[in-house]
Amino acid sequence: MKIGLVLSGGGARGIAHLGVIKALEELGLRFYAVSGTSAGSVAGAFYCAGYKPEEILQIILSMGFIKSVRPAWSWTGLLSMDGFREVLLKHIPHNSFEKLQLPLTVAATEIRLGKVIYFSEGELAPAVIASSSIPALFNPVQLNGHVLVDGGLMDNLPVRPLVGKSDFIIGSHCNPVEQRFDIKNVKEVAERSLLIAINVNTAHSKTHCNFVFEAPELGKFSTFDLDKGKEIFDIGYKNAVKKLSELESALNQYERTNQPQF
């Protein structure tokens, strides 16, 4: 059975994907292909390059937010991801989709055209950085004639590249919207507004997944809570472990339903 894995965006909350992957590996699952947006593209890039979930966690924790960004000195964004680019190239020096151990698709938003662009070949680092570039905060990335920003704006759970190519698609969504919200400052209002808007396109994507992991506890973390990465990882792992029996039932049901008829 060809199992596809799709990883949502979500900033620091995306570290939960690593916990989910750890639980799925312990179940013995292996993936045919991976697709990701923003934080999901980061997790996907390292995983498809051959790193284990705990190794990726350590890379992200040692990098931190401050080390990964620099002043942009540009009217199109406050910060650049030059530091993050250096981390990607250090740990994935071949910088190539084609040289990854698993096929990976990365989603980014073409800001001029208002459409999603999927990358699965060519240079890896620019596509991952483009997919992670929150508008106004980070500089847009120019790649292959496109002007690109965060893929979550158009496709925060990029299941589309896996439909028709994978038999069974597992989604990991790390952006639950908490039902309670206390207005504290303009930053939190802006972040929650973006989260709500992004979840509109995510709801449709979930319907194309055969199974979705989503830990409600992740709603208490912000996009930039990288210092809480270990806690986020553990939440993703523990939530996934609790649902492994449900996943096994879904996999078994799929196999029974799709057995060839003689």
Side-chain angles (χ1 to χ4, degrees):
M1 183 192 304
K2 295 179 179 179
I3 300 176
L5 178 67
V6 54
L7 308 172
S8 77
R13 293 182 294 268
I15 295 173
H17 296 321
L18 304 176
V20 172
I21 293 172
K22 178 184 177 182
L24 295 177
E25 285 193 334
E26 290 177 351
L27 185 63
L29 297 186
R30 296 296 179 264
F31 306 107
Y32 170 75
V34 179
S35 181
T37 290
S38 197
S41 76
V42 176
F46 282 113
Y47 183 67
C48 291
Y51 289 94
K52 304 299 288 183
E54 294 90 342
E55 293 175 326
I56 304 170
L57 174 64
Q58 291 308 312
I59 292 171
I60 293 173
L61 293 181
S62 63
M63 174 179 65
F65 178 71
I66 300 300
K67 293 181 182 178
S68 66
V69 301
R70 292 172 185 165
W73 309 114
S74 168
W75 63 271
T76 57
L78 299 175
L79 302 169
S80 76
M81 287 196 178
D82 290 345
F84 178 49
R85 181 191 302 271
E86 292 172 3
V87 172
L88 277 173
L89 295 178
K90 175 184 176 181
H91 294 281
I92 313 177
H94 59 69
N95 189 31
S96 168
F97 277 95
E98 287 83 359
K99 293 183 179 180
L100 294 172
Q101 296 181 15
L102 284 173
L104 172 69
T105 301
V106 168
T109 298
E110 221 296 357
I111 192 69
R112 297 174 306 174
L113 303 178
K115 61 183 289 188
V116 62
I117 304 291
Y118 298 107
F119 295 93
S120 57
E121 58 185 25
E123 286 190 274
L124 177 67
V128 173
I129 292 168
S131 181
S132 307
S133 295
I134 300 172
L137 181 60
F138 297 110
N139 256 341
V141 173
Q142 296 194 32
L143 180 62
N144 298 345
H146 299 296
V147 180
L148 304 163
V149 296
D150 198 307
L153 294 179
M154 298 295 297
D155 194 356
N156 198 48
L157 189 66
V159 67
R160 194 182 311 171
L162 300 180
V163 174
K165 298 178 181 178
S166 299
D167 300 316
F168 192 97
I169 300 175
I170 298 173
S172 178
H173 182 248
C174 63
N175 273 340
V177 179
E178 278 195 313
Q179 298 303 304
R180 295 181 61 186
F181 176 66
D182 298 323
I183 298 176
K184 297 178 181 178
N185 55 52
V186 66
K187 170 183 169 293
E188 292 191 2
V189 172
E191 184 176 344
R192 183 171 176 83
S193 299
L194 180 61
L195 181 64
I196 293 171
I198 283 174
N199 269 273
V200 173
N201 68 60
T202 303
H204 177 70
S205 296
K206 286 179 181 178
T207 64
H208 292 284
C209 295
N210 299 89
F211 197 90
V212 177
F213 290 99
E214 180 180 75
E217 303 96 313
L218 294 174
K220 66 182 181 181
F221 298 99
S222 80
T223 301
F224 305 106
D225 277 341
L226 288 176
D227 59 322
K228 299 175 182 176
K230 183 60 169 64
E231 182 182 356
I232 294 171
F233 179 96
D234 290 340
I235 288 173
Y237 174 73
K238 291 175 182 177
N239 178 73
V241 168
K242 290 178 182 177
K243 296 187 176 181
L244 288 183
S245 60
E246 293 179 39
L247 173 60
E248 285 186 289
S249 296
L251 286 166
N252 292 335
Q253 177 63 35
Y254 181 89
E255 287 187 323
R256 287 194 297 269
T257 303
N258 292 276
Q259 282 183 344
Q261 301 297 316
F262 298 101

mmCIF file of all heavy atoms in Angstrom, residues 5 108 184 204 220:
data_model
loop_
_atom_site.group_PDB
_atom_site.id
_atom_site.type_symbol
_atom_site.label_atom_id
_atom_site.label_comp_id
_atom_site.label_asym_id
_atom_site.label_seq_id
_atom_site.Cartn_x
_atom_site.Cartn_y
_atom_site.Cartn_z
ATOM 1 N N LEU A 5 1.928 11.105 3.251
ATOM 2 C CA LEU A 5 1.904 11.882 4.491
ATOM 3 C C LEU A 5 1.875 13.355 4.155
ATOM 4 O O LEU A 5 2.729 13.850 3.423
ATOM 5 C CB LEU A 5 3.140 11.568 5.340
ATOM 6 C CG LEU A 5 3.299 12.344 6.653
ATOM 7 C CD1 LEU A 5 2.194 11.951 7.640
ATOM 8 C CD2 LEU A 5 4.679 12.071 7.267
ATOM 9 N N ALA A 108 3.781 26.702 -1.911
ATOM 10 C CA ALA A 108 4.015 28.116 -1.641
ATOM 11 C C ALA A 108 2.948 28.928 -2.356
ATOM 12 O O ALA A 108 2.305 28.442 -3.306
ATOM 13 C CB ALA A 108 5.410 28.539 -2.102
ATOM 14 N N LYS A 184 -5.181 40.324 23.864
ATOM 15 C CA LYS A 184 -4.109 40.900 24.667
ATOM 16 C C LYS A 184 -3.357 42.003 23.919
ATOM 17 O O LYS A 184 -2.991 43.009 24.488
ATOM 18 C CB LYS A 184 -3.132 39.801 25.093
ATOM 19 C CG LYS A 184 -3.766 38.737 25.983
ATOM 20 C CD LYS A 184 -2.758 37.652 26.320
ATOM 21 C CE LYS A 184 -3.397 36.572 27.195
ATOM 22 N NZ LYS A 184 -2.436 35.470 27.496
ATOM 23 N N HIS A 204 -11.341 21.782 3.792
ATOM 24 C CA HIS A 204 -11.589 21.047 2.546
ATOM 25 C C HIS A 204 -10.510 19.991 2.327
ATOM 26 O O HIS A 204 -10.802 18.859 1.914
ATOM 27 C CB HIS A 204 -11.626 22.013 1.362
ATOM 28 C CG HIS A 204 -11.811 21.338 0.040
ATOM 29 N ND1 HIS A 204 -12.995 20.741 -0.333
ATOM 30 C CD2 HIS A 204 -10.946 21.132 -0.991
ATOM 31 C CE1 HIS A 204 -12.867 20.205 -1.539
ATOM 32 N NE2 HIS A 204 -11.637 20.434 -1.956
ATOM 33 N N LYS A 220 -2.827 26.270 22.289
ATOM 34 C CA LYS A 220 -2.334 27.231 23.282
ATOM 35 C C LYS A 220 -0.968 27.811 22.911
ATOM 36 O O LYS A 220 -0.489 28.734 23.570
ATOM 37 C CB LYS A 220 -2.246 26.564 24.656
ATOM 38 C CG LYS A 220 -1.210 25.455 24.754
ATOM 39 C CD LYS A 220 -1.223 24.811 26.138
ATOM 40 C CE LYS A 220 -0.177 23.703 26.258
ATOM 41 N NZ LYS A 220 -0.201 23.057 27.590
#
